Amino acid sequence: MKLKAKALVGVAGLALLSAAPAMAEGVSACLITKTDTNPFFVKMKEGAEAKAAELGVTLKSYAGKIDGDHESQVAAIEACIADGAKGILLTASDTKAIVDSVKAARDAGLLVIALDTPLDPIDAADATFATDNFQAGLLIGQWAKATMGDAAANAKIALLDLAISQPSVDVMRDQGFLQGFGVDLADPNKWGDETDPRIVGNEVTSGNEEGGLKAMETLLAKDPEINLVYTINEPSAAGAFEALKAVGREKDVLIVSVDGGCPGVANVKDGVIGATSQQYPLLMASKGIEAIAAYAKDGTKPAPTEGKAFFDTGVALITDKPAAGVESIDTAKGTELCWG
């Protein structure tokens, strides 16, 4: 089932505020991402910089050395407080451990908005602008189940997650995928405790290609007959594909992922990835800067999407092999909307 472009634009283009705030000269803000190399965070930075320039906000950007570099993010928050920033946009590497630093920033009067990755607990930040990551996982799980058909009952599943610390985005995508595929969840607040015999195992990737390759090699050594691979993001999916290619399995294993960056969409088009869920980082960041400007002006704090604990910036399944009952767009449309 194809998702109409009009409906997609309605989801991804939701307006956070009734009107953009006035120019905010003299207001400073910080953007703290997990890394500055992942195309997702590169696009997020572009969105923040463009909106900051438009509104007259001074923006300073920080990033961890790798996904999981918690210490660098703590240092960045401390620097933002010392600099007198009015707000922080944060994609946390460790969603639990960062909470004390976020509290210190909020106690100092800064507005803290989590981007993409909700903190644990989610209300540790003033607001969260994110993809519904559980829904993103659910879509690729549903698609994989429908695509495999009867063979899904005997699938051999490799789960390529993000980090041992299990940040919330990691958990929600993994658990959404499993539920969509029809696997009973144990504790939905963590991954790796399921008892379904179809699961070969979980390995972490640090969200990059090298990590994906090593994780896939480890799981193939455990069971060389794996035929379905879930990956936390598209760089790790590319690494998994290389590991499968090395053993001649690249054409008979289904890979699904999340992100929707331009390289990932191209990999869907080329058959490296069967389907991916696309999210919209530029929108997250640009709306975040608008929110900081509004807060600086009159203390207004952003409100979540109705019925949710966060502001939902939209998600769409991208595949050139649509499955009955699962809404999707093709790679042509996905390319129009991609980033990176």
Side-chain angles (χ1 to χ4, degrees), residues 63-318:
K65 298 178 181 67
I66 60 169
D67 199 325
D69 182 5
H70 168 69
E71 290 76 14
S72 290
Q73 293 196 319
V74 170
I77 290 175
E78 292 172 351
C80 295
I81 296 171
D83 286 346
K86 198 63 180 178
I88 296 173
L89 306 179
L90 170 68
T91 61
S93 286
D94 190 321
T95 52
K96 295 180 181 178
I98 202 72
V99 166
D100 286 345
S101 296
V102 168
K103 183 179 185 301
R106 294 178 69 186
D107 288 347
L110 282 74
L111 180 76
V112 181
I113 298 175
L115 300 184
D116 177 55
T117 306
L119 301 188
D120 187 2
I122 191 170
D123 60 3
D126 290 291
T128 301
F129 295 175
T131 306
D132 186 333
N133 282 294
F134 190 89
Q135 177 67 13
L138 190 76
L139 287 170
I140 55 174
Q142 291 172 336
W143 180 87
K145 182 179 181 180
T147 298
M148 293 187 76
D150 292 343
N154 298 306
K156 294 194 173 186
I157 307 168
L159 296 160
L160 273 57
D161 296 299
L162 181 59
I164 293 296
S165 62
Q166 300 198 19
S168 53
V169 63
D170 194 12
V171 173
M172 288 187 289
R173 292 182 186 183
D174 175 296
Q175 298 291 280
F177 163 77
L178 290 175
Q179 183 166 301
F181 196 73
V183 172
D184 290 334
L185 306 181
D187 180 351
N189 296 308
K190 63 181 179 180
W191 53 251
D193 59 351
E194 297 79 22
T195 58
D196 193 303
R198 292 176 292 179
I199 297 175
V200 174
N202 300 69
E203 291 291 331
V204 298
T205 65
S206 295
N208 59 50
E209 187 167 342
E210 181 182 2
L213 186 149
K214 290 180 178 178
M216 192 72 247
E217 289 175 340
T218 298
L219 290 172
L220 283 170
K222 187 175 182 180
D223 190 335
E225 296 184 359
I226 288 167
N227 58 7
L228 174 60
V229 181
Y230 154 84
T231 65
I232 178 66
N233 62 10
E234 292 152 2
S236 59
F241 179 81
E242 290 303 314
L244 290 164
K245 187 176 180 180
V247 295
R249 296 286 319 283
E250 74 274 15
K251 293 182 179 179
D252 59 292
V253 178
L254 197 61
I255 301 176
V256 293
S257 196
V258 177
D259 263 354
C262 297
V265 174
N267 278 344
V268 174
K269 184 177 181 179
D270 293 341
V272 172
I273 300 171
T276 193
S277 287
Q278 187 173 59
Q279 48 184 347
Y280 303 101
L282 189 149
L283 185 64
M284 295 177 198
S286 62
K287 292 298 182 185
I289 293 295
E290 285 186 2
I292 291 173
Y295 177 70
K297 180 182 178 182
D298 58 16
T300 301
K301 292 188 178 183
T305 299
E306 185 176 355
K308 297 187 177 184
F310 61 97
F311 180 77
D312 188 352
T313 52
V315 65
L317 181 74
I318 298 176

